[in-house]
Amino acid sequence: MSVIRPKPPTDPILHCPPPVWPDAAVAGRFAAAVERLEGLRGRVPPEADAAASLLAAYGTRAAPAPRRASALFAILDAARRVREGVDRVVVLADRPERSIVDLLLATCCHPFHAQLERPERGGRPRVFTLGEDADADRVQGVIDLLGDRAGDAIERRCALCAVGACRAPGTRACRAAVEGHAAALEPLRVGCAAAGTVPPADARTLLLPVAGSSDEACFPALLPAAIAGIDVVRLLEGMAAMERRFREAPLDANPVVTFVAVARALAAAGGPPVRRHLLPPPRWPGLAVWAAGLAATDGAPLTLAFATAVTVGESRRRLEPWSGDVAAVTAAAFDAIRLPRADEHAIGQLLALVRLARGLEALQDGGAAGAAR
């Protein structure tokens, strides 16, 4: 058997505008929006290419760098120490970061990762998420899973991972409840926060060179993803591929531009932009939660005028014969995003598409507001 490993696939994801528009006026507005967005594409700041920057600092054969000094190396090193030292990890995060962690666990791990025995998990910890949306039953349930007997055996050792700022009152309450059972927790405290935040005095906090907004929640989520064994380097490579595609691809083949243009085409002349609702596969609620939260931060009306289906062509595990995972655009959907498969590279592209589209929309909304004044 050859020892050469095949190169993982890196097929691009696609945004598919509706094949038939409601009327000629909407089709005309779509074409005009695509042309208008061309001028804005170059105004998206270089800081938006955060994934490419993290990878460049980490170092590649094409662009060598002092890898050990990079933020990505620090994340991978901290994740390795946690994996080797504990069996259960409680991730505490506000809604944006927690939704991304939940999405990555649902798409890039075994569907029952936390239920598998440690050897079947490849020695990786069980991961449980808590945050502002967690109710009392879930918090108490996680505490029960931590156990009440500390010891040297790795199966009895736990860790707390605080992701992002953790400012929401519900998140702080969850942390207080879990830390109240410190007898079940090892003294290991690992956090990941965006640059510019003040690390808590009782935690070792990794600072990422990205903004601390909801748009960037996917970057602090890299730490718990790496703890669970997800290939975060490949996830960032998918994000960087979409960043490069956004900068270089022709407009009609640019998924970020067409994604934004569809929403602009459906807006009434002179009216506020309409909002979309993502319809991902059933196990991916974190994607819809994160995207909806981004739309809620700009103060615009939150009327959900249309839906975008997120479909997957190939799952990680194939059960033959099986037709249950054949992707089909939901009848309620207006357009679609098609992923070739559910893996780190494709999910990275999807995350970058949503965050770049949000930045492009913010630029256009800001320009429209300035013109109105």
Side-chain angles (χ1 to χ4, degrees), residues 203-252:
R204 290 180 296 168
T205 302
L206 303 175
L207 296 180
L208 291 175
V210 295
S213 63
S214 299
D215 305 51
E216 314 298 345
C218 40
F219 296 108
L222 293 175
L223 178 59
I227 289 172
I230 294 171
D231 189 346
V232 298
V233 173
R234 192 155 183 259
L235 181 80
L236 286 171
E237 289 173 345
M239 296 184 68
M242 180 58 70
E243 292 169 354
R244 184 169 58 254
R245 190 176 173 191
F246 169 62
R247 300 289 185 183
E248 300 175 358
L251 293 180
D252 56 352

mmCIF file of all heavy atoms in Angstrom, residues 203-252:
data_model
loop_
_atom_site.group_PDB
_atom_site.id
_atom_site.type_symbol
_atom_site.label_atom_id
_atom_site.label_comp_id
_atom_site.label_asym_id
_atom_site.label_seq_id
_atom_site.Cartn_x
_atom_site.Cartn_y
_atom_site.Cartn_z
ATOM 1 N N ALA A 203 -7.119 33.271 33.915
ATOM 2 C CA ALA A 203 -7.111 32.413 32.738
ATOM 3 C C ALA A 203 -5.914 32.715 31.867
ATOM 4 O O ALA A 203 -5.434 33.845 31.814
ATOM 5 C CB ALA A 203 -8.399 32.595 31.937
ATOM 6 N N ARG A 204 -5.434 31.688 31.202
ATOM 7 C CA ARG A 204 -4.452 31.870 30.145
ATOM 8 C C ARG A 204 -5.235 32.112 28.862
ATOM 9 O O ARG A 204 -5.950 31.232 28.398
ATOM 10 C CB ARG A 204 -3.574 30.626 30.008
ATOM 11 C CG ARG A 204 -2.634 30.422 31.182
ATOM 12 C CD ARG A 204 -1.804 29.175 30.980
ATOM 13 N NE ARG A 204 -2.636 27.992 30.949
ATOM 14 C CZ ARG A 204 -2.203 26.796 30.548
ATOM 15 N NH1 ARG A 204 -0.970 26.665 30.123
ATOM 16 N NH2 ARG A 204 -2.999 25.762 30.568
ATOM 17 N N THR A 205 -5.106 33.293 28.293
ATOM 18 C CA THR A 205 -5.946 33.681 27.166
ATOM 19 C C THR A 205 -5.098 33.885 25.921
ATOM 20 O O THR A 205 -4.106 34.609 25.950
ATOM 21 C CB THR A 205 -6.724 34.972 27.482
ATOM 22 O OG1 THR A 205 -7.506 34.767 28.644
ATOM 23 C CG2 THR A 205 -7.629 35.344 26.317
ATOM 24 N N LEU A 206 -5.510 33.244 24.843
ATOM 25 C CA LEU A 206 -4.868 33.443 23.548
ATOM 26 C C LEU A 206 -5.541 34.602 22.842
ATOM 27 O O LEU A 206 -6.766 34.661 22.750
ATOM 28 C CB LEU A 206 -5.000 32.172 22.697
ATOM 29 C CG LEU A 206 -4.438 30.887 23.313
ATOM 30 C CD1 LEU A 206 -4.745 29.714 22.406
ATOM 31 C CD2 LEU A 206 -2.954 31.015 23.545
ATOM 32 N N LEU A 207 -4.753 35.537 22.337
ATOM 33 C CA LEU A 207 -5.297 36.698 21.646
ATOM 34 C C LEU A 207 -5.077 36.552 20.148
ATOM 35 O O LEU A 207 -3.951 36.354 19.698
ATOM 36 C CB LEU A 207 -4.638 37.981 22.153
ATOM 37 C CG LEU A 207 -4.887 38.317 23.631
ATOM 38 C CD1 LEU A 207 -4.185 39.609 23.998
ATOM 39 C CD2 LEU A 207 -6.372 38.387 23.927
ATOM 40 N N LEU A 208 -6.144 36.644 19.395
ATOM 41 C CA LEU A 208 -6.069 36.546 17.946
ATOM 42 C C LEU A 208 -6.034 37.933 17.318
ATOM 43 O O LEU A 208 -6.733 38.841 17.774
ATOM 44 C CB LEU A 208 -7.273 35.782 17.398
ATOM 45 C CG LEU A 208 -7.321 34.299 17.735
ATOM 46 C CD1 LEU A 208 -8.625 33.697 17.223
ATOM 47 C CD2 LEU A 208 -6.144 33.567 17.143
ATOM 48 N N PRO A 209 -5.258 38.118 16.257
ATOM 49 C CA PRO A 209 -5.164 39.435 15.609
ATOM 50 C C PRO A 209 -6.330 39.704 14.676
ATOM 51 O O PRO A 209 -6.162 39.962 13.491
ATOM 52 C CB PRO A 209 -3.841 39.323 14.836
ATOM 53 C CG PRO A 209 -3.733 37.880 14.498
ATOM 54 C CD PRO A 209 -4.330 37.138 15.670
ATOM 55 N N VAL A 210 -7.539 39.592 15.193
ATOM 56 C CA VAL A 210 -8.742 39.892 14.409
ATOM 57 C C VAL A 210 -9.661 40.735 15.271
ATOM 58 O O VAL A 210 -9.521 40.806 16.492
ATOM 59 C CB VAL A 210 -9.479 38.603 13.956
ATOM 60 C CG1 VAL A 210 -8.620 37.812 13.000
ATOM 61 C CG2 VAL A 210 -9.870 37.750 15.155
ATOM 62 N N ALA A 211 -10.637 41.370 14.619
ATOM 63 C CA ALA A 211 -11.589 42.206 15.352
ATOM 64 C C ALA A 211 -12.461 41.337 16.250
ATOM 65 O O ALA A 211 -12.608 40.142 16.040
ATOM 66 C CB ALA A 211 -12.450 42.988 14.363
ATOM 67 N N GLY A 212 -13.061 41.953 17.239
ATOM 68 C CA GLY A 212 -13.871 41.219 18.190
ATOM 69 C C GLY A 212 -15.349 41.245 17.887
ATOM 70 O O GLY A 212 -16.154 40.965 18.757
ATOM 71 N N SER A 213 -15.754 41.556 16.657
ATOM 72 C CA SER A 213 -17.160 41.645 16.314
ATOM 73 C C SER A 213 -17.757 40.274 16.051
ATOM 74 O O SER A 213 -17.052 39.273 15.930
ATOM 75 C CB SER A 213 -17.339 42.526 15.076
ATOM 76 O OG SER A 213 -16.692 41.935 13.962
ATOM 77 N N SER A 214 -19.093 40.223 15.938
ATOM 78 C CA SER A 214 -19.779 38.969 15.661
ATOM 79 C C SER A 214 -19.367 38.394 14.313
ATOM 80 O O SER A 214 -19.387 37.174 14.118
ATOM 81 C CB SER A 214 -21.297 39.181 15.687
ATOM 82 O OG SER A 214 -21.726 39.625 16.955
ATOM 83 N N ASP A 215 -18.983 39.272 13.366
ATOM 84 C CA ASP A 215 -18.555 38.801 12.057
ATOM 85 C C ASP A 215 -17.359 37.865 12.169
ATOM 86 O O ASP A 215 -17.194 36.954 11.350
ATOM 87 C CB ASP A 215 -18.156 39.984 11.162
ATOM 88 C CG ASP A 215 -19.256 41.029 11.047
ATOM 89 O OD1 ASP A 215 -19.757 41.458 12.099
ATOM 90 O OD2 ASP A 215 -19.593 41.411 9.919
ATOM 91 N N GLU A 216 -16.513 38.083 13.172
ATOM 92 C CA GLU A 216 -15.266 37.334 13.297
ATOM 93 C C GLU A 216 -15.363 36.199 14.303
ATOM 94 O O GLU A 216 -14.344 35.682 14.752
ATOM 95 C CB GLU A 216 -14.136 38.289 13.696
ATOM 96 C CG GLU A 216 -14.092 39.582 12.919
ATOM 97 C CD GLU A 216 -13.858 39.368 11.422
ATOM 98 O OE1 GLU A 216 -13.450 38.264 11.039
ATOM 99 O OE2 GLU A 216 -14.087 40.299 10.645
ATOM 100 N N ALA A 217 -16.565 35.786 14.670
ATOM 101 C CA ALA A 217 -16.728 34.755 15.693
ATOM 102 C C ALA A 217 -16.094 33.436 15.293
ATOM 103 O O ALA A 217 -15.754 32.619 16.155
ATOM 104 C CB ALA A 217 -18.221 34.546 15.992
ATOM 105 N N CYS A 218 -15.916 33.214 13.983
ATOM 106 C CA CYS A 218 -15.343 31.947 13.539
ATOM 107 C C CYS A 218 -13.881 31.798 13.938
ATOM 108 O O CYS A 218 -13.379 30.672 14.018
ATOM 109 C CB CYS A 218 -15.494 31.792 12.026
ATOM 110 S SG CYS A 218 -15.204 33.278 11.081
ATOM 111 N N PHE A 219 -13.178 32.888 14.244
ATOM 112 C CA PHE A 219 -11.757 32.780 14.574
ATOM 113 C C PHE A 219 -11.523 32.379 16.032
ATOM 114 O O PHE A 219 -10.740 31.452 16.280
ATOM 115 C CB PHE A 219 -11.038 34.068 14.208
ATOM 116 C CG PHE A 219 -11.064 34.342 12.731
ATOM 117 C CD1 PHE A 219 -11.861 35.351 12.208
ATOM 118 C CD2 PHE A 219 -10.330 33.567 11.860
ATOM 119 C CE1 PHE A 219 -11.907 35.579 10.841
ATOM 120 C CE2 PHE A 219 -10.364 33.788 10.483
ATOM 121 C CZ PHE A 219 -11.159 34.795 9.976
ATOM 122 N N PRO A 220 -12.155 33.006 17.023
ATOM 123 C CA PRO A 220 -12.008 32.476 18.385
ATOM 124 C C PRO A 220 -12.494 31.032 18.515
ATOM 125 O O PRO A 220 -11.984 30.286 19.350
ATOM 126 C CB PRO A 220 -12.868 33.429 19.222
ATOM 127 C CG PRO A 220 -12.887 34.701 18.448
ATOM 128 C CD PRO A 220 -12.892 34.291 17.013
ATOM 129 N N ALA A 221 -13.461 30.621 17.691
ATOM 130 C CA ALA A 221 -13.987 29.252 17.755
ATOM 131 C C ALA A 221 -12.973 28.218 17.291
ATOM 132 O O ALA A 221 -13.212 27.013 17.439
ATOM 133 C CB ALA A 221 -15.259 29.144 16.912
ATOM 134 N N LEU A 222 -11.832 28.657 16.728
ATOM 135 C CA LEU A 222 -10.827 27.703 16.266
ATOM 136 C C LEU A 222 -10.260 26.881 17.417
ATOM 137 O O LEU A 222 -9.907 25.706 17.235
ATOM 138 C CB LEU A 222 -9.686 28.445 15.566
ATOM 139 C CG LEU A 222 -10.010 29.134 14.237
ATOM 140 C CD1 LEU A 222 -8.796 29.909 13.748
ATOM 141 C CD2 LEU A 222 -10.465 28.124 13.198
ATOM 142 N N LEU A 223 -10.149 27.468 18.612
ATOM 143 C CA LEU A 223 -9.544 26.743 19.728
ATOM 144 C C LEU A 223 -10.370 25.520 20.132
ATOM 145 O O LEU A 223 -9.841 24.405 20.146
ATOM 146 C CB LEU A 223 -9.322 27.676 20.913
ATOM 147 C CG LEU A 223 -8.747 27.004 22.154
ATOM 148 C CD1 LEU A 223 -7.402 26.359 21.854
ATOM 149 C CD2 LEU A 223 -8.609 27.990 23.298
ATOM 150 N N PRO A 224 -11.660 25.657 20.472
ATOM 151 C CA PRO A 224 -12.410 24.444 20.804
ATOM 152 C C PRO A 224 -12.528 23.478 19.631
ATOM 153 O O PRO A 224 -12.596 22.264 19.836
ATOM 154 C CB PRO A 224 -13.776 24.978 21.245
ATOM 155 C CG PRO A 224 -13.852 26.362 20.722
ATOM 156 C CD PRO A 224 -12.457 26.880 20.691
ATOM 157 N N ALA A 225 -12.545 23.995 18.404
ATOM 158 C CA ALA A 225 -12.578 23.107 17.246
ATOM 159 C C ALA A 225 -11.322 22.248 17.200
ATOM 160 O O ALA A 225 -11.378 21.037 16.960
ATOM 161 C CB ALA A 225 -12.732 23.916 15.964
ATOM 162 N N ALA A 226 -10.156 22.869 17.429
ATOM 163 C CA ALA A 226 -8.909 22.109 17.423
ATOM 164 C C ALA A 226 -8.860 21.125 18.585
ATOM 165 O O ALA A 226 -8.321 20.018 18.450
ATOM 166 C CB ALA A 226 -7.720 23.073 17.495
ATOM 167 N N ILE A 227 -9.423 21.493 19.726
ATOM 168 C CA ILE A 227 -9.472 20.567 20.868
ATOM 169 C C ILE A 227 -10.258 19.318 20.498
ATOM 170 O O ILE A 227 -9.897 18.199 20.863
ATOM 171 C CB ILE A 227 -10.093 21.273 22.089
ATOM 172 C CG1 ILE A 227 -9.125 22.329 22.639
ATOM 173 C CG2 ILE A 227 -10.443 20.271 23.176
ATOM 174 C CD1 ILE A 227 -9.720 23.196 23.725
ATOM 175 N N ALA A 228 -11.338 19.491 19.746
ATOM 176 C CA ALA A 228 -12.167 18.355 19.334
ATOM 177 C C ALA A 228 -11.537 17.548 18.210
ATOM 178 O O ALA A 228 -12.092 16.520 17.810
ATOM 179 C CB ALA A 228 -13.545 18.851 18.906
ATOM 180 N N GLY A 229 -10.396 17.980 17.682
ATOM 181 C CA GLY A 229 -9.713 17.242 16.633
ATOM 182 C C GLY A 229 -10.035 17.689 15.231
ATOM 183 O O GLY A 229 -9.657 17.026 14.262
ATOM 184 N N ILE A 230 -10.711 18.812 15.079
ATOM 185 C CA ILE A 230 -11.044 19.328 13.748
ATOM 186 C C ILE A 230 -9.790 19.941 13.122
ATOM 187 O O ILE A 230 -9.010 20.606 13.800
ATOM 188 C CB ILE A 230 -12.174 20.366 13.857
ATOM 189 C CG1 ILE A 230 -13.463 19.680 14.340
ATOM 190 C CG2 ILE A 230 -12.418 21.070 12.529
ATOM 191 C CD1 ILE A 230 -14.574 20.639 14.694
ATOM 192 N N ASP A 231 -9.615 19.737 11.834
ATOM 193 C CA ASP A 231 -8.452 20.262 11.112
ATOM 194 C C ASP A 231 -8.678 21.751 10.842
ATOM 195 O O ASP A 231 -9.183 22.150 9.793
ATOM 196 C CB ASP A 231 -8.265 19.497 9.800
ATOM 197 C CG ASP A 231 -6.948 19.836 9.102
ATOM 198 O OD1 ASP A 231 -6.326 20.844 9.485
ATOM 199 O OD2 ASP A 231 -6.567 19.108 8.170
ATOM 200 N N VAL A 232 -8.261 22.589 11.785
ATOM 201 C CA VAL A 232 -8.530 24.020 11.664
ATOM 202 C C VAL A 232 -7.639 24.671 10.610
ATOM 203 O O VAL A 232 -7.995 25.722 10.066
ATOM 204 C CB VAL A 232 -8.389 24.734 13.022
ATOM 205 C CG1 VAL A 232 -9.396 24.203 14.023
ATOM 206 C CG2 VAL A 232 -6.983 24.596 13.581
ATOM 207 N N VAL A 233 -6.481 24.069 10.314
ATOM 208 C CA VAL A 233 -5.649 24.613 9.244
ATOM 209 C C VAL A 233 -6.394 24.496 7.915
ATOM 210 O O VAL A 233 -6.437 25.442 7.117
ATOM 211 C CB VAL A 233 -4.288 23.895 9.181
ATOM 212 C CG1 VAL A 233 -3.495 24.354 7.963
ATOM 213 C CG2 VAL A 233 -3.490 24.152 10.453
ATOM 214 N N ARG A 234 -6.998 23.350 7.676
ATOM 215 C CA ARG A 234 -7.744 23.169 6.435
ATOM 216 C C ARG A 234 -8.998 24.050 6.414
ATOM 217 O O ARG A 234 -9.409 24.546 5.369
ATOM 218 C CB ARG A 234 -8.132 21.698 6.262
ATOM 219 C CG ARG A 234 -8.649 21.363 4.876
ATOM 220 C CD ARG A 234 -8.455 19.910 4.540
ATOM 221 N NE ARG A 234 -8.913 19.676 3.183
ATOM 222 C CZ ARG A 234 -10.084 19.143 2.863
ATOM 223 N NH1 ARG A 234 -10.921 18.794 3.821
ATOM 224 N NH2 ARG A 234 -10.434 18.972 1.611
ATOM 225 N N LEU A 235 -9.602 24.258 7.571
ATOM 226 C CA LEU A 235 -10.740 25.175 7.658
ATOM 227 C C LEU A 235 -10.317 26.581 7.239
ATOM 228 O O LEU A 235 -11.004 27.244 6.450
ATOM 229 C CB LEU A 235 -11.272 25.180 9.093
ATOM 230 C CG LEU A 235 -12.487 26.064 9.373
ATOM 231 C CD1 LEU A 235 -13.763 25.375 8.915
ATOM 232 C CD2 LEU A 235 -12.587 26.391 10.857
ATOM 233 N N LEU A 236 -9.179 27.041 7.736
ATOM 234 C CA LEU A 236 -8.669 28.359 7.357
ATOM 235 C C LEU A 236 -8.283 28.400 5.884
ATOM 236 O O LEU A 236 -8.442 29.434 5.222
ATOM 237 C CB LEU A 236 -7.470 28.721 8.229
ATOM 238 C CG LEU A 236 -7.777 29.123 9.681
ATOM 239 C CD1 LEU A 236 -6.496 29.236 10.486
ATOM 240 C CD2 LEU A 236 -8.569 30.424 9.733
ATOM 241 N N GLU A 237 -7.772 27.303 5.357
ATOM 242 C CA GLU A 237 -7.454 27.265 3.931
ATOM 243 C C GLU A 237 -8.711 27.442 3.087
ATOM 244 O O GLU A 237 -8.679 28.107 2.043
ATOM 245 C CB GLU A 237 -6.759 25.945 3.584
ATOM 246 C CG GLU A 237 -5.342 25.858 4.118
ATOM 247 C CD GLU A 237 -4.709 24.501 3.918
ATOM 248 O OE1 GLU A 237 -5.464 23.537 3.618
ATOM 249 O OE2 GLU A 237 -3.477 24.382 4.058
ATOM 250 N N GLY A 238 -9.835 26.857 3.531
ATOM 251 C CA GLY A 238 -11.099 27.075 2.824
ATOM 252 C C GLY A 238 -11.540 28.521 2.903
ATOM 253 O O GLY A 238 -11.995 29.100 1.909
ATOM 254 N N MET A 239 -11.392 29.142 4.069
ATOM 255 C CA MET A 239 -11.748 30.547 4.207
ATOM 256 C C MET A 239 -10.858 31.421 3.328
ATOM 257 O O MET A 239 -11.341 32.343 2.662
ATOM 258 C CB MET A 239 -11.629 30.968 5.677
ATOM 259 C CG MET A 239 -12.592 30.271 6.610
ATOM 260 S SD MET A 239 -12.488 30.875 8.316
ATOM 261 C CE MET A 239 -13.136 32.518 8.116
ATOM 262 N N ALA A 240 -9.557 31.120 3.331
ATOM 263 C CA ALA A 240 -8.633 31.910 2.514
ATOM 264 C C ALA A 240 -8.937 31.758 1.025
ATOM 265 O O ALA A 240 -8.793 32.711 0.251
ATOM 266 C CB ALA A 240 -7.193 31.485 2.803
ATOM 267 N N ALA A 241 -9.372 30.561 0.620
ATOM 268 C CA ALA A 241 -9.734 30.354 -0.790
ATOM 269 C C ALA A 241 -10.912 31.235 -1.183
ATOM 270 O O ALA A 241 -10.946 31.809 -2.282
ATOM 271 C CB ALA A 241 -10.055 28.880 -1.034
ATOM 272 N N MET A 242 -11.894 31.375 -0.280
ATOM 273 C CA MET A 242 -13.040 32.235 -0.579
ATOM 274 C C MET A 242 -12.629 33.700 -0.555
ATOM 275 O O MET A 242 -13.121 34.499 -1.370
ATOM 276 C CB MET A 242 -14.168 31.974 0.419
ATOM 277 C CG MET A 242 -15.418 32.821 0.199
ATOM 278 S SD MET A 242 -16.149 32.618 -1.460
ATOM 279 C CE MET A 242 -16.784 30.940 -1.339
ATOM 280 N N GLU A 243 -11.741 34.087 0.353
ATOM 281 C CA GLU A 243 -11.252 35.464 0.376
ATOM 282 C C GLU A 243 -10.558 35.815 -0.944
ATOM 283 O O GLU A 243 -10.783 36.888 -1.522
ATOM 284 C CB GLU A 243 -10.284 35.642 1.554
ATOM 285 C CG GLU A 243 -10.954 35.562 2.919
ATOM 286 C CD GLU A 243 -9.965 35.475 4.071
ATOM 287 O OE1 GLU A 243 -8.749 35.369 3.801
ATOM 288 O OE2 GLU A 243 -10.391 35.502 5.236
ATOM 289 N N ARG A 244 -9.724 34.903 -1.416
ATOM 290 C CA ARG A 244 -9.031 35.145 -2.683
ATOM 291 C C ARG A 244 -10.018 35.170 -3.854
ATOM 292 O O ARG A 244 -9.902 36.000 -4.766
ATOM 293 C CB ARG A 244 -7.981 34.058 -2.896
ATOM 294 C CG ARG A 244 -7.123 34.235 -4.142
ATOM 295 C CD ARG A 244 -5.959 33.279 -4.137
ATOM 296 N NE ARG A 244 -6.380 31.885 -4.047
ATOM 297 C CZ ARG A 244 -6.262 31.128 -2.958
ATOM 298 N NH1 ARG A 244 -5.733 31.622 -1.857
ATOM 299 N NH2 ARG A 244 -6.667 29.881 -2.961
ATOM 300 N N ARG A 245 -10.984 34.288 -3.816
ATOM 301 C CA ARG A 245 -11.988 34.242 -4.883
ATOM 302 C C ARG A 245 -12.807 35.521 -4.917
ATOM 303 O O ARG A 245 -13.140 36.046 -5.986
ATOM 304 C CB ARG A 245 -12.894 33.023 -4.661
ATOM 305 C CG ARG A 245 -13.831 32.680 -5.788
ATOM 306 C CD ARG A 245 -14.556 31.407 -5.438
ATOM 307 N NE ARG A 245 -15.601 31.091 -6.399
ATOM 308 C CZ ARG A 245 -16.520 30.150 -6.215
ATOM 309 N NH1 ARG A 245 -16.501 29.427 -5.094
ATOM 310 N NH2 ARG A 245 -17.448 29.919 -7.130
ATOM 311 N N PHE A 246 -13.125 36.049 -3.752
ATOM 312 C CA PHE A 246 -13.870 37.301 -3.680
ATOM 313 C C PHE A 246 -13.092 38.442 -4.314
ATOM 314 O O PHE A 246 -13.645 39.291 -5.018
ATOM 315 C CB PHE A 246 -14.187 37.613 -2.224
ATOM 316 C CG PHE A 246 -14.726 39.002 -1.990
ATOM 317 C CD1 PHE A 246 -15.919 39.401 -2.558
ATOM 318 C CD2 PHE A 246 -14.027 39.905 -1.202
ATOM 319 C CE1 PHE A 246 -16.419 40.689 -2.348
ATOM 320 C CE2 PHE A 246 -14.512 41.175 -0.981
ATOM 321 C CZ PHE A 246 -15.714 41.567 -1.558
ATOM 322 N N ARG A 247 -11.786 38.464 -4.105
ATOM 323 C CA ARG A 247 -10.951 39.548 -4.644
ATOM 324 C C ARG A 247 -10.735 39.416 -6.147
ATOM 325 O O ARG A 247 -10.631 40.419 -6.850
ATOM 326 C CB ARG A 247 -9.585 39.539 -3.954
ATOM 327 C CG ARG A 247 -9.605 39.724 -2.450
ATOM 328 C CD ARG A 247 -9.963 41.126 -2.048
ATOM 329 N NE ARG A 247 -9.861 41.305 -0.596
ATOM 330 C CZ ARG A 247 -10.178 42.426 0.036
ATOM 331 N NH1 ARG A 247 -10.597 43.471 -0.647
ATOM 332 N NH2 ARG A 247 -10.079 42.506 1.361
ATOM 333 N N GLU A 248 -10.661 38.164 -6.655
ATOM 334 C CA GLU A 248 -10.158 37.953 -8.013
ATOM 335 C C GLU A 248 -11.184 37.441 -9.009
ATOM 336 O O GLU A 248 -11.015 37.662 -10.218
ATOM 337 C CB GLU A 248 -8.992 36.946 -7.961
ATOM 338 C CG GLU A 248 -7.823 37.408 -7.096
ATOM 339 C CD GLU A 248 -6.745 36.357 -6.973
ATOM 340 O OE1 GLU A 248 -6.940 35.251 -7.548
ATOM 341 O OE2 GLU A 248 -5.721 36.616 -6.312
ATOM 342 N N ALA A 249 -12.226 36.760 -8.581
ATOM 343 C CA ALA A 249 -13.130 36.097 -9.529
ATOM 344 C C ALA A 249 -13.977 37.108 -10.284
ATOM 345 O O ALA A 249 -14.314 38.185 -9.756
ATOM 346 C CB ALA A 249 -14.037 35.113 -8.792
ATOM 347 N N PRO A 250 -14.364 36.799 -11.530
ATOM 348 C CA PRO A 250 -15.291 37.669 -12.258
ATOM 349 C C PRO A 250 -16.607 37.800 -11.498
ATOM 350 O O PRO A 250 -16.996 36.924 -10.726
ATOM 351 C CB PRO A 250 -15.492 36.924 -13.589
ATOM 352 C CG PRO A 250 -14.336 36.009 -13.705
ATOM 353 C CD PRO A 250 -13.934 35.638 -12.318
ATOM 354 N N LEU A 251 -17.285 38.908 -11.722
ATOM 355 C CA LEU A 251 -18.483 39.197 -10.940
ATOM 356 C C LEU A 251 -19.540 38.110 -11.055
ATOM 357 O O LEU A 251 -20.167 37.722 -10.066
ATOM 358 C CB LEU A 251 -19.062 40.547 -11.377
ATOM 359 C CG LEU A 251 -18.208 41.779 -11.048
ATOM 360 C CD1 LEU A 251 -18.888 43.028 -11.541
ATOM 361 C CD2 LEU A 251 -17.932 41.858 -9.558
ATOM 362 N N ASP A 252 -19.772 37.601 -12.287
ATOM 363 C CA ASP A 252 -20.837 36.628 -12.454
ATOM 364 C C ASP A 252 -20.474 35.261 -11.883
ATOM 365 O O ASP A 252 -21.336 34.386 -11.769
ATOM 366 C CB ASP A 252 -21.207 36.484 -13.938
ATOM 367 C CG ASP A 252 -19.998 36.110 -14.786
ATOM 368 O OD1 ASP A 252 -18.879 36.106 -14.259
ATOM 369 O OD2 ASP A 252 -20.187 35.823 -15.978
#
